[in-house]
Every structure is written in structure tokens, then in C-alpha cells.
Amino acid sequence: GAGVSQSPRYKVAKRGQDVALRCDPISGHVSLFWYQQALGQGPEFLTYFQNEAQLDKSGLPSDRFFAERPEGSVSTLKIQRTQQEDSAVYLCASSDGRQPQHFGDGTRLSIL
Amino acid sequence: GENVEQHPSTLSVQEGDSAVIKCTYSDSASNYFPWYKQELGKRPQLIIDIRSNVGEKKDQRIAVTLNKTAKHFSLHITETQPEDSAVYFCAAVPEGQFYFGTGTSLTVIP
């Protein structure tokens, strides 16, 4: 079956632009997570959804970061007024409510 | 919150030798400990996991051990092969929240 799908795979934006990153979780998975992975580091938690409810957004680094999952399936992570320090790989993972999580290939974001 | 430390950050072994990667955690509420393998530019892939009611788990050449008292767990890879070369991440999970270590870059030298 299809795994977690993320798009785009690569995104280059100028500083100050807004970006939107998409995650299609595995069908039927109620839990969806967003992570930020800097080069040479482990994934760091950003936010978590159970169905359409955003249960934890404590990892979002600033109010420029916003995530939504309006129908409980596809999720979008939006970053407004991007900064160079936002450059990273953004990983999405989903699960059926129990472990383990299944990861997507990520979106590599580069801010110039 | 949980704090996961992982060592070593880099590890080189000869093909056929064993590799051991160690992680410690701080939150006694953590009850699930997965290990992920990440090849360059690819997604993290779960390779083995262990729950807190078990002390050891094996899957072919891979094993994980857990010491709840000392709050540490380890990944053991035996008979290493070049295709085992990758970055390995441990994680500790209290109440569904994943906290990852900083990763170990494993190189298996043919």
C-alpha cells in the first residue's frame, strides 16, 4: 500500500516568502506528526494531530509556523515570512494511533 | 520533557564485526523505544522497537536491549554488512510523543 507522501520534495524560497508543505498520511491513520530535521540532527517534534484536532503544537518554533489538517487526512505545514534558519528537512509521520510511526521522505526546504 | 542522548555520534566497523549504539533517556514515563535507520536523503525507516515490559528483542542480525532502572537502551547489529551503513536514530516515547536522539553515523568498511 501507499506510504506517507510529502510534496514538494524540494523547495527553494527567498527569505520573507511564505511556503506551504503538504503531507498525505497513510490512509486511515488518525495520528499525524510534523518534525523538523536539521542537517546532522535527529528529527525534532513540531506538532501533532489526532484526526483534525491539533493536540500539541508546542514544538512550533514561532508564530510564523502554522499547521492544519481540516478533514483529518491531508495536512499542510505553512511557514510565513521565511527566515534562513527555517532551512531544514520537514518530515511528516503518521500512525494508526499506536506506535510505530511511518515517515514520509520529507521536504527539503532551502531559504536563500 | 524527555531528554534522549545517543552515543557515539560516528562509528566505523569492519564488515562482519558487531556495532553497538547506546541511548539514555530521562523520563521514566517513556514506555516505547524505536530505532530508525536513515539513509542519505531518505526517510527514517523503523528497524526494531521495544516496549518497556520487555528487556530484549531480536530480529535476525539486529537486537535491542532495555534497562529501565538505568534508563538506557542499546542497538546491537551483528555480522555487519556494507548496506548497514546509514544514520541510526533512537527515540524514547512517553505518552505518544517521540523524542529522538541526535543520531549515529555508522560506516561499515568492506
Side-chain angles (χ1 to χ4, degrees):
Chain A
V4 178
S5 178
Q6 291 188 246
S7 61
R9 284 297 316 277
Y10 304 92
K11 176 69 179 178
V12 179
K14 292 183 178 179
R15 186 166 59 91
Q17 288 183 329
D18 298 349
V19 298
L21 313 179
R22 177 187 169 104
C23 174
D24 278 274
I26 293 172
S27 178
H29 277 194
V30 299
S31 299
L32 186 147
F33 301 79
W34 282 100
Y35 294 89
Q36 182 188 61
Q37 186 175 25
L39 190 65
Q41 299 294 315
E44 294 211 3
F45 170 79
L46 294 176
T47 187
Y48 158 55
F49 290 86
Q50 186 167 314
N51 297 307
E52 68 277 7
Q54 189 174 19
L55 299 187
D56 188 343
K57 55 181 180 179
S58 61
L60 295 176
S62 78
D63 59 7
R64 298 186 294 104
F65 286 70
F66 172 76
E68 59 183 6
R69 194 186 186 196
E71 297 178 1
S73 56
V74 172
S75 177
T76 304
L77 176 67
K78 297 179 180 177
I79 309 173
Q80 298 175 323
R81 304 180 303 281
T82 52
Q83 304 294 316
Q84 284 193 322
E85 61 263 28
D86 301 335
S87 296
V89 174
Y90 290 84
L91 291 166
C92 177
S94 71
S95 80
D96 60 1
R98 303 176 298 169
Q99 301 91 352
Q101 295 184 4
H102 299 269
F103 282 87
D105 284 327
T107 294
R108 182 176 297 277
L109 176 64
S110 297
I111 305 299
L112 306 179
Chain B
E2 175 63 278
N3 180 43
V4 178
E5 295 190 356
Q6 184 172 346
H7 300 281
S9 57
T10 60
L11 179 60
S12 292
V13 299
Q14 290 292 137
E15 182 177 358
D17 287 351
S18 295
V20 179
I21 303 170
K22 298 182 180 181
C23 288
T24 61
Y25 63 99
S26 60
D27 190 344
S28 57
S30 289
N31 56 12
Y32 175 65
F33 306 89
W35 286 88
Y36 286 84
K37 175 183 180 182
Q38 188 174 30
E39 297 177 37
L40 190 63
K42 298 196 173 179
R43 69 183 71 187
Q45 298 264 21
L46 179 75
I47 55 171
I48 196 167
D49 56 9
I50 191 168
R51 299 187 186 274
S52 59
N53 58 346
V54 176
E56 183 175 0
K57 183 177 178 181
K58 281 186 179 180
D59 183 2
Q60 299 182 338
R61 297 186 296 108
I62 295 173
V64 58
T65 59
L66 171 65
N67 183 325
K68 286 172 53 181
T69 304
K71 294 194 181 68
H72 65 70
F73 56 112
S74 300
L75 176 71
H76 304 252
I77 306 174
T78 58
E79 300 172 25
T80 52
Q81 301 168 2
E83 51 265 38
D84 294 331
S85 296
V87 179
Y88 291 81
F89 293 98
C90 63
V93 185
E95 301 174 356
Q97 180 65 280
F98 279 56
Y99 294 87
F100 286 87
T102 50
T104 296
S105 177
L106 173 64
T107 301
V108 179
I109 304 166

